[in-house]
């Protein structure tokens, strides 16, 4: 435990020192199964040999030049991401919150260019999570994030998810609707595809941009490269981060043709954003995941099926898609349950107010899945006795 790190996290009393595949080891040498991936980040597991080789190679060649110059990994990665998402252009930042800041600036600039001032409001959903900066907290539709840090950036309104009438009531000051395909931090709550399709239709009719926060759902997590690809709609722009670079900090946005040149020279930037090291890590991550993403749906269904078969009376339901798994559990403290899982050797997460969350590395195989689920079953059963 550090006496010097600010207490901004209620850290679990474990110090991890090593990872390999879907396993972690603490400094006492105890082994754990990783169902958290560092909150959906280490999508190719720990120390994947191809990823390590790519990062080591790039670290020895060129790590940073700033965005004043071209670099090959960044150019390659932009092209690759546009290809898998069917988008036109990419901008790189360092985190999810920063990527969402980019989306918000993009939407406001687009609307300003086209309609002038007074059309800058961004709609987001109740229960959403978009980041920890002052602006992305304003975008986040959860009241408990809106204490202490006033004044927030104005121009955000939160509407109930699934409520088309609430969207239709919005006035002509709106420039965009921003949503997560599955609300992650809010509790692993998928949006109804019919609702998203109707919302996309309304966006077209009102000329609002449809923006998707794919920071958690992106890069294969839900069984497609991006969550929107499971919903039968296409956003005008999206943000990504967490799983993109297999553990190094990288985020960014992808935009369609009409938004390609909205942000011009000097309108937006980031010193570290898209540096060659993080982009090389992301290219290796995408290479590794190309054969893995088609298996993600099956792996996730297997986990949900195994949990259903356990017939544990406290489990209300499982939610999510692919390897983004929420388990709604009644009558327990999630924090205490997750601590017990950790003590028993399973690293999990919580989400929202009622769910345990599993975001295992996408490369996980049945052997590790089964080992993790056995720990889970024993601990949840033990809660009752
Ligand atoms: C984690 C997350 C963010 C914030 O990402 P950071 O990298 O922590 O800034 C934003 N949106 C969603 C949907 C997230 O899951």
């Amino acid at each position: 435990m550090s006496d010097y790190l600010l207490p901004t996290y209620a850290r679990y009393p474990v110090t991890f020192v090593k990872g390999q595949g879907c396993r972690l080891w603490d400094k006492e040498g105890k082994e754990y199964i990783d169902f958290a991936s560092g909150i959906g980040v280490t999508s190719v597991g720990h120390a994947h040999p191809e990823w390590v080789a790519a990062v080591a190679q790039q670290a020895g060649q060129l790590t940073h030049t700033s965005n004043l110059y071209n670099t090959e990994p960044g150019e390659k990665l932009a092209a690759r991401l546009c290809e898998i998402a069917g988008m036109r252009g990419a901008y790189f930042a360092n985190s999810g919150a920063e990527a969402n800041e980019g989306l918000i600036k993009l939407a406001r600039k687009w609307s300003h260019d086209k309609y002038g001032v007074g059309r800058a409001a961004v709609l987001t959903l109740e229960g959403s999570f978009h980041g920890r900066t002052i602006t992305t907290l304003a975008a986040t539709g959860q009241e408990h994030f809106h204490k202490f840090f006033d004044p927030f950036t104005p121009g955000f309104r939160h509407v109930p998810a699934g409520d088309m009438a609430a969207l239709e009531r919005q006035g002509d000051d709106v420039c965009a609707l921003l949503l997560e395909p599955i609300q992650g931090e809010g509790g692993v709550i998928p949006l109804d595809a019919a609702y998203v399709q109707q919302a996309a239709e309304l966006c077209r009719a009102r000329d609002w941009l449809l923006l998707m926060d794919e920071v958690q759902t992106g890069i294969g997590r839900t069984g497609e490269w991006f969550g929107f690809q499971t919903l039968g709609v296409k956003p005008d722009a999206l943000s990504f981060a967490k799983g993109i670079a297999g553990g190094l900090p990288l985020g960014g946005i992808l935009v369609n043709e009409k938004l390609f040149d909205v942000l011009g020279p000097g309108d937006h930037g980031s010193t570290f954003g898209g540096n060659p090291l993080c982009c090389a890590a992301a290219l290796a991550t995408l290479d590794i995941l190309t054969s893995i993403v088609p298996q993600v749906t099956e792996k996730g269904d297997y986990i949900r099926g195994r949990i259903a078969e356990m017939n544990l009376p406290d489990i209300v339901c499982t939610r999510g898609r692919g390897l983004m798994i929420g388990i709604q559990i009644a009558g327990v403290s999630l924090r205490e349950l997750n601590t017990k899982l950790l003590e028993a050797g399973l690293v999990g997460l919580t989400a929202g107010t009622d769910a345990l969350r599993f975001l295992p590395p996408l490369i996980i195989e049945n052997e590790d899945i089964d080992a993790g689920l056995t720990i889970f079953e024993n601990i949840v059963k033990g809660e009752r006795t």
Side-chain angles (χ1 to χ4, degrees):
M1 291 291 146
S2 168
D3 291 332
Y4 296 97
L5 286 167
L6 298 190
T8 54
Y9 284 88
R11 289 193 173 84
Y12 292 93
V14 172
T15 302
F16 289 120
V17 293
K18 184 177 137 83
Q20 183 71 57
C22 301
R23 305 273 170 154
L24 284 161
W25 286 266
D26 69 16
K27 67 176 183 193
E28 279 78 40
K30 181 172 156 186
E31 186 174 327
Y32 299 78
I33 296 166
D34 186 4
F35 273 17
S37 305
I39 322 185
V41 169
T42 50
S43 46
V44 297
H46 301 278
H48 191 292
E50 280 172 50
W51 184 91
V52 170
V55 171
Q57 198 282 330
Q58 190 63 47
Q61 185 177 332
L62 184 69
T63 56
H64 182 84
T65 61
S66 86
N67 285 300
L68 299 174
Y69 314 97
N70 304 311
T71 64
E72 286 173 358
E75 289 175 18
K76 269 195 205 155
L77 181 62
R80 187 81 188 275
L81 284 168
C82 285
E83 181 198 325
I84 62 179
M87 298 299 256
R88 171 65 182 86
Y91 166 84
F92 295 118
N94 310 283
S95 67
E98 204 192 349
N100 286 335
E101 292 266 350
L103 278 187
I104 294 159
K105 283 180 70 176
L106 174 81
R108 288 186 170 173
K109 174 77 166 36
W110 168 79
S111 192
H112 196 278
D113 288 349
K114 189 163 175 183
Y115 295 98
V117 293
R119 193 179 180 276
V122 176
L123 306 175
T124 65
L125 299 187
E126 290 176 5
S128 61
F129 180 80
H130 298 296
R132 296 279 192 169
T133 62
I134 292 288
T135 295
T136 55
L137 280 178
T140 292
Q142 298 186 56
E143 265 324 299
H144 68 100
F145 286 110
H146 297 153
K147 291 186 294 189
F148 313 129
F149 304 112
D150 303 85
F152 287 100
T153 310
F156 292 92
R157 289 204 294 277
H158 311 122
V159 294
D163 184 344
M164 275 308 295
L167 276 183
E168 278 156 9
R169 274 197 301 276
Q170 300 300 316
D172 54 14
D173 62 338
V174 173
C175 66
L177 169 66
L178 169 63
L179 43 84
E180 298 158 85
I182 299 173
Q183 294 187 334
E185 303 303 315
V188 192
I189 301 171
L191 291 184
D192 180 46
Y195 166 70
V196 180
Q197 287 161 15
Q198 284 170 32
E201 199 53 54
L202 187 68
C203 285
R204 261 193 300 277
R206 304 266 181 103
D207 204 18
W208 301 342
L209 296 183
L210 177 62
L211 308 176
M212 293 218 185
D213 178 344
E214 296 251 20
V215 170
Q216 197 159 151
T217 51
I219 321 299
R221 178 58 55 188
T222 68
E224 297 287 344
W225 282 113
F226 292 94
F228 79 81
Q229 291 163 328
T230 69
L231 290 170
V233 296
K234 189 143 177 219
D236 293 294
L238 64 86
S239 57
F240 59 87
K242 291 193 166 84
I244 176 69
L248 286 182
L250 181 66
I253 65 176
L254 297 175
V255 310
N256 68 9
E257 183 72 46
K258 82 173 172 191
L259 299 176
F260 184 80
D261 52 12
V262 167
L263 295 172
D267 286 334
H268 196 44
S270 162
T271 299
F272 285 117
N275 80 39
L277 185 66
C278 295
C279 290
L283 284 165
T285 301
L286 295 180
D287 280 346
I288 296 162
L289 290 182
T290 298
S291 62
I292 300 291
V293 172
Q295 306 166 14
V296 164
T297 300
E298 197 183 317
K299 290 181 190 186
D301 290 349
Y302 175 73
I303 294 177
R304 283 186 198 78
R306 284 275 328 261
I307 292 173
E309 279 165 18
M310 290 175 194
N311 267 320
L312 298 167
D314 296 328
I315 294 184
V316 181
C317 66
T318 61
R319 300 191 286 242
R321 189 185 262 279
L323 287 172
M324 185 163 175
I325 295 161
I327 306 156
Q328 190 186 342
I329 304 188
V332 296
S333 151
L334 293 168
R335 168 91 191 176
E336 279 171 31
L337 178 61
N338 204 32
T339 304
K340 285 182 189 162
L341 291 175
L342 189 66
E343 283 165 3
L346 179 65
V347 186
L349 298 160
T350 63
T353 54
D354 66 354
L356 207 63
R357 175 174 41 154
F358 292 153
L359 302 172
L362 305 184
I363 55 138
I364 198 164
E365 301 280 356
N366 281 3
E367 191 191 332
D368 283 336
I369 291 176
D370 289 340
L373 288 178
T374 300
I375 295 172
F376 170 76
E377 182 170 18
N378 289 337
I379 295 296
V380 176
K381 269 188 183 148
E383 288 291 289
R384 293 222 125 205
T385 52

